[in-house]
Amino acid sequence: MIFAGTNLDQGQAYNRRLLLEAIRVHGALSRADLTRLTGLAPQTISNISATLTEAGLLVAERRNINGRGQPPTDLRLNPTGGYAFGISIDNHRLFAVLVDIAGNRLDEIEDRLEETSPGYVLPKMASAIATMRRRTPIPDKRVLGTGIAMSGLTTHGSFIGLAPDEITSGWHGFPLESQLESTLGMPIFTDNDARAAAVGEAFYGEGRKYRDFVYIYFGVGVGGSIMNAGQPFRGSQGRAGELGHMIVEAGGRLCPCGNRGCLEQYASMGSALAAIECTSNGLNAQDQLVDALARLDPGLLRWTEAAAVHLRTAIVNLENIFDPQTVLLGGIIPEPVLDAIVERIVPLPRTVSSRRTGDARRIVKSSLGPAIPAMGAASLALFDATSADFSLLFKKNAVSAPNPAAA
């Protein structure tokens, strides 16, 4: 996998993040490896790696090899160089994690929410983070921030519309980032659960193998994200990736968005629960889906067949439009239920891309399971600190990746 760098002075921020991303994706690399992968000058690599090592984000170690000569020095991410918290809110459940910059999950908390209003949820978020900090002491200067992932669209740190009523009630326009930043005293990053999950896949999961992929997220609804050259495509207003509102059946079921025949009316966890006439929320609902599948509930089996048909259409359209390396499937839907859908999706119809590559890796299931929204939320802070976002090259006052040691 090649990472293109720049030797321009104004690209310092981009180049520093580029090195971090290359090491995150490939693992430990020598300076010669980094020169070959990025195209940066050896002296530039040396200067940047020295800066990042001094900041505590990288550590240098001798490679263990047999034979004569001086073994090369490899650079790898320093797990203690930075930490991030991640919180996801979905289906009356709060799931929180603490991860280090190398992607190790250090602690987690799962809690059922009796209600989902901001006044109830925010103290729960703060309490979860306080508990994890108490159980796993970490230096304040090493905390990169907290990511929050919830259903629905986001804009400027607030959540807006097109999510289930129990989530959006009281949240429309709520200044979540500023409120939590004031409460927790650390940077806050927000995004919808699907896009956060896609970033999490790119950091910790199957997405590490791909630079261009489409992620289909199965939650109460259906969401998604398009990862382009390692970056989530956001669109003009930050609302790209609403795959659940792709129309897959003309004149079909009415959707809350106002259209008919949207994908999430056929392939979401909410539609699966409706198929088995389940009105429960939270973890109990997921257990009921697993139980229904185990006893071959006719309603759920019909749902899996219909979901697979409509997903097949959606996937082929996405492949023809975006030409991704693969389409990843994941979310909070129970893994056995997702497996049942995947089994019924294949074989896929041919697309322009598949004529060249066949069916190999056209769809890949997430390996992270239902924890992915919270893991993705945590990765929002890590992504901000380490991602080689090309837009940095055009920022007038570009700065380097955050330096936890300087805090």
Side-chain angles (χ1 to χ4, degrees):
M1 191 177 296
I2 302 299
F3 296 79
T6 173
N7 289 296
L8 299 174
D9 290 340
Q10 63 265 37
Q12 288 183 3
Y14 175 81
N15 289 337
R16 291 177 184 179
R17 293 172 185 235
L18 184 72
L19 259 66
L20 290 170
E21 185 173 13
I23 293 170
R24 176 180 62 78
V25 171
H26 289 279
L29 295 171
S30 69
R31 290 174 178 82
D33 293 332
L34 288 165
T35 298
R36 175 178 53 82
L37 281 169
T38 65
L40 291 168
Q43 188 59 50
T44 302
I45 293 288
S46 181
N47 293 340
I48 294 175
S49 61
T51 298
L52 294 175
T53 301
E54 184 179 353
L57 295 173
L58 296 179
V59 291
E61 57 187 10
R62 290 287 186 188
R63 185 181 300 176
N64 292 323
I65 58 173
N66 296 321
R68 298 180 178 178
Q70 183 95 342
T73 298
D74 284 334
L75 296 166
R76 63 173 176 82
L77 290 177
N78 178 14
T80 64
Y83 302 88
F85 297 94
I87 297 177
S88 66
I89 304 293
D90 56 69
N91 204 30
H92 284 263
R93 181 191 74 153
L94 180 148
F95 197 92
V97 296
L98 168 62
V99 300
D100 64 32
I101 199 168
N104 301 305
R105 197 187 315 181
L106 306 178
D107 198 1
E108 63 183 51
I109 289 175
E110 189 170 15
D111 194 9
R112 175 173 170 78
L113 300 174
E114 298 301 328
E115 59 174 284
T116 56
S117 66
Y120 178 86
V121 171
L122 261 66
K124 287 278 191 178
M125 291 179 176
S127 176
I129 290 175
T131 298
M132 289 189 289
R133 296 197 74 166
R134 185 171 61 253
R135 296 195 306 211
T136 311
I138 54 178
D140 290 345
K141 65 183 181 181
R142 298 290 184 185
V143 177
L144 298 173
T146 293
I148 309 294
M150 290 171 56
S151 301
L153 300 171
T154 62
T155 180
H156 305 303
S158 302
F159 285 84
I160 57 173
L162 289 187
D165 290 341
E166 68 268 22
I167 295 294
T168 52
S169 178
W171 288 97
H172 188 94
F174 184 82
L176 179 59
E177 284 189 7
S178 59
Q179 289 278 351
L180 267 184
E181 201 164 295
S182 175
T183 300
L184 299 177
M186 66 177 73
I188 304 296
F189 306 86
T190 57
D191 215 328
N192 68 46
D193 47 10
R195 191 151 49 218
V199 174
E201 283 289 345
F203 257 75
Y204 316 114
E206 295 297 320
R208 286 179 295 182
K209 304 172 185 176
Y210 309 100
R211 297 285 286 169
D212 297 276
F213 65 87
V214 173
Y215 185 83
I216 300 179
Y217 177 85
F218 298 89
V220 178
V222 174
S225 182
I226 299 98
M227 295 294 287
N228 178 34
Q231 298 290 320
F233 176 71
R234 297 182 177 277
S236 63
Q237 300 180 66
R239 303 180 186 182
E242 285 297 318
L243 307 184
H245 296 285
M246 178 188 303
I247 296 176
V248 293
E249 183 172 313
R253 298 173 186 169
L254 181 64
C255 180
C257 75
N259 290 325
R260 288 186 175 273
C262 292
L263 178 62
E264 74 171 35
Q265 295 305 304
Y266 305 93
S268 63
M269 199 167 79
S271 63
L273 292 170
I276 63 171
E277 299 181 353
C278 171
T279 58
S280 299
N281 288 314
L283 301 177
N284 185 49
Q286 293 172 312
D287 293 339
Q288 289 197 42
L289 282 178
V290 174
D291 177 67
L293 183 65
R295 55 186 169 81
L296 302 179
D297 180 276
L300 187 62
L301 293 181
R302 287 192 297 271
W303 174 83
T304 57
E305 294 289 349
V309 167
H310 293 301
L311 282 164
R312 199 177 295 125
T313 299
I315 288 170
V316 168
N317 288 335
L318 290 167
E319 286 181 322
N320 279 325
I321 295 170
F322 295 106
D323 189 26
Q325 292 171 279
T326 194
V327 175
L328 264 64
L329 308 176
I332 64 169
I333 194 167
E335 189 171 0
V337 180
L338 181 56
D339 287 337
I341 298 174
V342 172
E343 288 172 6
R344 290 162 172 80
I345 289 176
V346 293
L348 287 165
R350 299 179 72 184
T351 65
V352 172
S353 295
S354 67
R355 292 189 185 101
R356 298 194 307 272
T357 63
D359 284 340
R361 301 191 308 275
R362 283 180 68 185
I363 58 173
V364 175
K365 197 185 73 169
S366 168
S367 59
L368 297 177
I372 181 57
M375 294 289 288
S379 71
L380 295 175
L382 303 179
F383 195 73
D384 182 78
T386 65
S387 172
D389 186 347
F390 191 75
S391 66
L392 288 169
L393 295 174
F394 303 99
K395 290 186 177 180
K396 184 176 180 181
N397 297 310
V399 296
S400 64
N403 178 358

